[in-house]
Structures are given as structure tokens and as C-alpha cells.
Amino acid sequence: MVSLFKRSVTEGIGTALLVYFGAGSAVIALMISQGTKPTSSFNIGIGALGGMGDWLAIGLAFAFIIAAVIYATGRISGAHINPAVTIALWATKRFPSVDCGAYVVAQLIGAAIGSFLFAASVGIEAVTVGGLGATGPFPGISMGQAVLAEFIGTFILMLVIMGVAVDRQATPGFAGLAIGLTAGGVITTTGNIAGASLNPARTFGPYLGDLILGGTNHFGNFPIYIIGPILGAVAAAFLYDWLQKE
């Protein structure tokens, strides 16, 4: 097995790419639609392609980069690129505690690096207009509703991960495609509820970047993206284990 240090570096790189290309696609959507009149208060900042068109584009960007990272780094680190996934595997005794802590720290650092690199690539408008793709509840959505949406979205994502990547009887070669498309579908449907983070690190990177680069401090919403994704992933992992047992 590759050393924990190298696996952690790989997780950091993978999460940085996830944030750069995934959250970055949300920034581009916001910048493209800048100045356009939203069709309703529910899709403020999103709508240049017609609301769902924007979310489909963002969802596909996430789908492609997740699949690419899984195929590129899965054999090295497992390509968790998500603290909720790592914690769920640890909770079901598939991952040691020392490795779990190192992976989560690496994922958070990688997410922050991804956000800063995107800001460096695009300029300050990535922060002032796009908010670095920071997630948050949309107008009319309560914190409880946002947590529920994150829980459900991460639940189905983790259930697919268990079936196509963790289960030793899974058909090889399809994990990246299945997991990426699942994430893309969830984002397309639930993005306009709470941003469809499904991943504490994906939210942490833009939040930290916004805070340091002079944008809005979004950390008041961070509990949504810790509680919902982690509980959703853990619940899915335990449910999968229960369902497959005779």
C-alpha cells in the first residue's frame, strides 16, 4: 500500500481539482449571468441558461471532474475527496482512525488550495461576483430544509459509492462513471435548494477563500454542510451493510 502521506497528498490534489472545476463552474455561471434579471427570487444569480440549464451544466462539470479524479487517483488513495465519505467508511470500520484524520485534513487543505487557485485564474470577480462558488440556502429555504436536502443528496451518493466502489462484488471499471453521474444528477435537482454541496470540504474551500480574499463570511451556514452530508453518508453506509447481510 502507498504510504499515508502520499495517499493524503493524493486526496488533497483530488479535492483541489474537485473545487477548482466543480465550484469553479458555479462561479462561471454566476459571472455569465451577471446583470441579467432573475425570473424569480428563487434563482438569484443563476439563470442565464434558464435556471435548470445552469444547474445541469454545473452538475455535469462536477460529474466529469469526479469521474476523472476517481479514475486517475482511485488506485492510490481510494479517491474519497469528501470528508463525509471518509467518515462513513471509518464509522463502518473500513478505514482506520489515523488515516481518517489525515484524509479529512488533506481534503480541507486541498479544497482551500483549489479555491485560491481558481481566484488566481479568474481574478477578483471570482470572489465579488461568483463568491468562489460558495454554497448556501436559497431564498425561502430554512436551515432545516437545507440540512435535509444535503442529507438526502449525500445519502444517495454514498449508497452508490457503497454499491459500485466499496462492495467487493461490484463490477470493476464503472465506479467513476456511476459516482460522477450520481453527483451530477443530485446537483442538478437540489442545487437550487442549498447549493448541493454533498461534501464539507467542497463548501469549506470557497468559504475560506471568500473570507480571506475580502468576500462574504459564509461560515454561519457551515453547520448545514457538516451535519447533512456526514449524517447522510453514515446512514447510507450502515443501511447498505444491513441490506446486504443475510
Side-chain angles (χ1 to χ4, degrees):
M1 180 180 290
V2 176
S3 71
L4 176 58
F5 175 74
K6 287 185 177 180
R7 285 184 284 126
S8 297
V9 170
T10 302
E11 283 294 303
I13 293 170
T15 313
L17 293 172
L18 171 72
V19 171
Y20 186 96
F21 289 100
S25 70
V27 175
I28 296 301
L30 289 164
M31 293 177 68
I32 289 173
S33 65
Q34 183 184 13
T36 61
K37 185 177 180 180
T39 56
S40 74
S41 61
F42 192 60
N43 71 338
I44 292 175
I46 301 288
L49 298 180
M52 284 297 286
D54 284 315
W55 284 114
L56 176 60
I58 294 167
L60 287 175
F62 272 99
F64 294 152
I65 191 59
I66 288 171
V69 169
I70 289 173
Y71 287 126
T73 69
R75 290 193 176 186
I76 300 173
S77 69
H80 298 186
I81 56 174
N82 184 340
V85 172
T86 300
I87 291 170
L89 294 176
W90 166 80
T92 55
K93 303 187 186 320
R94 289 181 169 87
F95 209 61
S97 298
V98 173
D99 290 17
C100 180
Y103 268 42
V104 170
V105 170
Q107 290 155 1
L108 294 174
I109 293 173
I113 291 172
S115 273
F116 286 119
L117 287 176
F118 191 83
S121 299
V122 177
I124 195 60
E125 284 194 342
V127 177
T128 58
V129 177
L132 289 177
T135 54
F138 275 67
I141 301 298
S142 69
M143 181 169 283
Q145 289 173 313
V147 169
L148 179 61
E150 289 293 312
F151 176 94
I152 294 171
T154 314
F155 179 89
I156 182 60
L157 177 62
M158 188 67 199
L159 204 60
V160 171
I161 291 171
M162 295 296 291
V164 302
V166 177
D167 195 319
R168 292 183 179 180
Q169 296 183 9
T171 303
F174 290 96
L177 182 63
I179 295 167
L181 289 177
T182 300
V186 171
I187 290 168
T188 301
T189 301
T190 68
N192 229 83
I193 299 175
S197 171
L198 319 176
N199 182 337
R202 177 262 179 268
T203 289
F204 175 80
Y207 276 15
L208 184 64
D210 280 335
L211 182 65
I212 291 177
L213 297 175
T216 303
N217 182 355
H218 299 283
F219 274 101
N221 289 325
F222 197 37
I224 294 170
Y225 306 102
I226 297 174
I227 297 169
I230 291 176
L231 290 183
V234 170
F238 276 109
L239 177 64
Y240 189 88
D241 282 346
W242 178 75
L243 289 173
Q244 72 164 345
K245 289 180 180 178
E246 295 293 339

